[in-house]
Amino acid sequence: MSTCFHNSSIRARAALRDVAALRLEGRVVGLSGLAADVAGLAGHLAIGSRLALHPRDGDPVLAEVVGFHDGLARTMAFGSLQGLGPGAAAVAPARRRPGGMALAAPATLSPCAAWLGRVIDPLGQPLDGRGPLPAGTHPRLVRAAPPVAALRARLGPRLDLGVRALDAFTTTRQGQRLGLFAGSGVGKSTLLGMLARGAACDVAVLALVGERGREVREFLEDELGATGLARSVVVLATSDAPPLLRREAAHAAMTVAEHFRDQGQQVLLMMDSVTRFCLALREIGLSAGEPPATRGFPPSVFAELPRLLERAGPGLEPADPAAAPGHITALFTVLVEGDDHNEPVADAVRGILDGHVVLDRRIAEAGRYPAVDVLRSLSRAASGCLSGEETALLRRARAVLALHADMADLVRLGAYRPGADPAVDEAVALAPRLEAMLRQERDDMSPVPRAARQPGARSQPPQAPVGISSIDAAFAALRQALTLPGDADAT
């Protein structure tokens, strides 16, 4: 009897260790700027742990641990600190770990196919007034690590984007990550809407980080439209949101994209913008006591960037060789201050990603949209997916545009005499044709083949294309632009 009781007691204690603790409770002992210091929980928390701060009046405010000092946990809130003061309760849900230590639970999201067509906040709450958001069956860590580099799948075949300038001059492969570098007011939002509607993907995930609140409905209804929204999940944190919420928008969108990628789907992730994500990180780092370094950015900003950006791309190689791997093809926008493309954030992002697209203000002011500067834009993976003929066409087009840009001032001033250089004469004749080819209206989408499946359905192995792909159409237009009327090689 004694032995039986002893064994039952051991089993009971072991079972109790797996039971979630009701709560861990500490107290707010200090408030400074955006931060609140919490006592009594330092041994149970870690960087990134979440807890609820209970003001004297009003609803609890969710907060996250961003640092520790002198035995206190420094937290920042996802909402306003109004009403909080010393002595306020700080409560964290927890689970007992082996050894009996209770630790705060990590932040998770539970995406599912029912999230398609919805607009949510970074905490997974709906913002579109369409009722509760269903939860998936598998919670995912919001701050997950990237896939193991040696086990990741390779880049997939080339991806039709539906925008001629990008399909031809920055041809993109499934799983590639591109940076979109632009100043304000050069058509960035319009280009993102074109990609969300026209790209050959199963799911589009958009992260609007620090977006102006007035423009959100305009973007959703005018640029994205009902067609684009139907296969999209939009994660939104406006410019007036606390820095933690703006930072979390990027991680939440990446988590949603990873969910669909791990189901074998082709995901297009568009984040607008990485710059505002870094500005939120700067506010968090300075509030946590980090010293400013490069142009006021603390060191943690440039440590956090690769951890976020490396999560995009191919997933793990499937165990079944016949299965098609999922990919996250990502486009991260970077706001360049004063059109300075060498400022710290732009320089760091360009070094991490697989290519860059530059939008130029002078091109936009001349009325050509999308205002892509094709001579300064580059896809590092294009060489692996272009044919010899396409590569030759692309090189010739770049050479013609570069020569025309060099000679444009002389031609306008009348200092160049036609016939002095056949190459310049050819560039003067062909450059307007190339500019016309690059011009594309918002609703003029290049043809993109799609399998007959519902949004969110699992990707199938490549099928015979229906009609012509947008990349093939872009190179056909490029070939035609480089062929003068009456040329013997005209087809």
Side-chain angles (χ1 to χ4, degrees):
M1 174 71 76
S2 174
T3 303
C4 251
F5 177 79
H6 178 68
N7 291 338
S8 297
S9 175
I10 291 175
R11 287 195 298 270
R13 285 198 299 270
L16 282 174
R17 283 198 293 268
D18 295 329
V19 176
L22 291 179
R23 65 186 203 175
L24 296 168
E25 184 170 332
R27 294 290 167 183
V28 174
V29 295
L31 293 162
S32 175
L34 303 172
D37 292 333
V38 174
L41 294 179
H44 303 279
L45 301 175
I47 296 293
S49 296
R50 292 184 180 176
L51 60 163
L53 306 180
H54 291 256
R56 296 184 177 89
D57 298 311
D59 297 327
V61 178
L62 187 65
E64 182 175 304
V65 177
V66 296
F68 296 91
H69 68 97
D70 301 328
L72 304 176
R74 173 150 289 186
T75 68
M76 290 188 68
F78 286 95
S80 172
L81 294 178
Q82 189 72 27
L84 283 170
V91 179
R95 181 173 295 276
R96 291 193 179 276
R97 306 292 290 176
M101 173 68 76
L103 297 176
T108 60
L109 283 177
S110 301
C112 65
W115 287 26
L116 292 171
R118 302 299 300 269
V119 182
I120 65 174
D121 74 4
L123 303 179
Q125 300 302 313
L127 295 175
D128 51 13
R130 294 172 50 193
L133 198 66
T137 56
H138 297 93
R140 303 184 66 95
L141 288 175
V142 175
R143 305 293 293 277
V148 179
L151 302 179
R152 294 185 90 153
R154 298 186 59 165
L155 293 178
R158 58 193 193 181
L159 177 71
D160 293 296
L161 297 177
V163 178
R164 285 190 295 273
L166 303 185
D167 281 332
F169 286 86
T170 58
T171 311
T172 303
R173 298 173 64 181
Q174 293 175 352
Q176 192 172 343
R177 303 161 304 170
L178 290 173
L180 179 61
F181 295 80
S184 57
V186 294
K188 172 173 50 65
S189 296
T190 301
L191 179 57
L192 293 180
M194 292 174 69
L195 292 170
R197 296 193 310 272
C201 62
D202 301 318
V203 175
V205 178
L206 290 92
L208 303 180
V209 182
E211 189 66 40
R212 290 180 287 270
R214 179 194 63 79
E215 296 181 351
V216 171
R217 281 195 62 187
E218 293 178 6
F219 176 80
L220 294 176
E221 297 173 5
D222 300 341
E223 306 298 347
L224 191 58
T227 303
L229 183 59
R231 60 170 183 167
S232 301
V233 180
V234 181
V235 183
L236 171 65
T238 53
S239 59
D240 60 330
L244 269 185
L245 212 54
R246 283 179 272 135
R247 182 213 65 187
E248 200 69 6
H251 287 289
M254 190 68 75
T255 303
V256 174
E258 288 172 332
H259 165 77
F260 290 106
R261 177 190 66 189
D262 292 348
Q263 292 184 336
Q265 299 184 52
Q266 299 304 323
V267 182
L268 178 65
L269 170 66
M270 290 175 285
M271 190 173 296
D272 183 19
S273 70
V274 171
T275 304
R276 296 190 185 117
F277 169 74
C278 290
L279 292 175
L281 290 177
R282 180 169 68 180
E283 294 180 51
I284 295 167
L286 295 177
S287 294
E290 282 190 74
T294 308
R295 291 202 189 177
F297 288 99
S300 62
V301 172
F302 300 102
E304 184 74 13
L305 260 180
R307 284 198 287 266
L308 173 73
L309 303 183
E310 286 290 348
R311 290 171 66 181
L316 294 174
E317 191 73 49
D320 181 4
H327 297 83
I328 298 175
T329 306
L331 189 68
F332 301 97
T333 71
V334 180
L335 297 173
V336 289
E337 298 178 4
D339 293 330
D340 176 13
H341 289 261
N342 294 316
E343 56 93 18
V345 172
D347 202 42
V349 171
R350 190 164 45 242
I352 298 170
L353 301 182
D354 309 316
H356 50 272
V357 177
V358 176
L359 299 186
D360 190 271
R361 188 175 305 280
R362 290 173 299 176
I363 296 175
E365 290 170 349
R368 195 258 281 167
Y369 290 96
V372 178
D373 187 339
V374 296
L375 294 178
R376 298 166 65 193
S377 301
L378 174 71
S379 169
R380 294 193 179 109
S383 61
C385 65
L386 295 179
S387 67
E389 182 199 3
E390 290 167 339
T391 301
L393 275 174
L394 193 55
R395 286 175 179 168
R396 186 181 175 213
R398 287 183 179 274
V400 165
L401 290 172
L403 181 56
H404 183 263
D406 288 342
M407 300 298 294
D409 289 339
L410 292 177
V411 172
R412 277 194 295 267
L413 293 172
Y416 173 75
R417 296 180 59 186
D421 186 336
V424 176
D425 293 340
E426 181 188 50
V428 171
L430 291 178
R433 297 171 61 84
L434 289 170
E435 287 292 320
M437 172 262 176
L438 294 171
R439 183 177 289 108
Q440 186 171 346
E441 297 298 326
R442 182 177 67 182
D443 297 324
D444 174 19
M445 305 306 298
S446 292
V448 179
R450 291 195 183 90
R453 59 175 182 267
Q454 297 298 319
R458 186 179 179 87
S459 291
Q460 302 297 322
Q463 305 290 327
V466 180
I468 186 172
S469 76
S470 69
I471 293 178
D472 291 338
F475 276 101
L478 186 61
R479 187 181 300 107
Q480 183 177 5
L482 290 170
T483 305
L484 290 170
D487 193 316
D489 295 331
T491 57

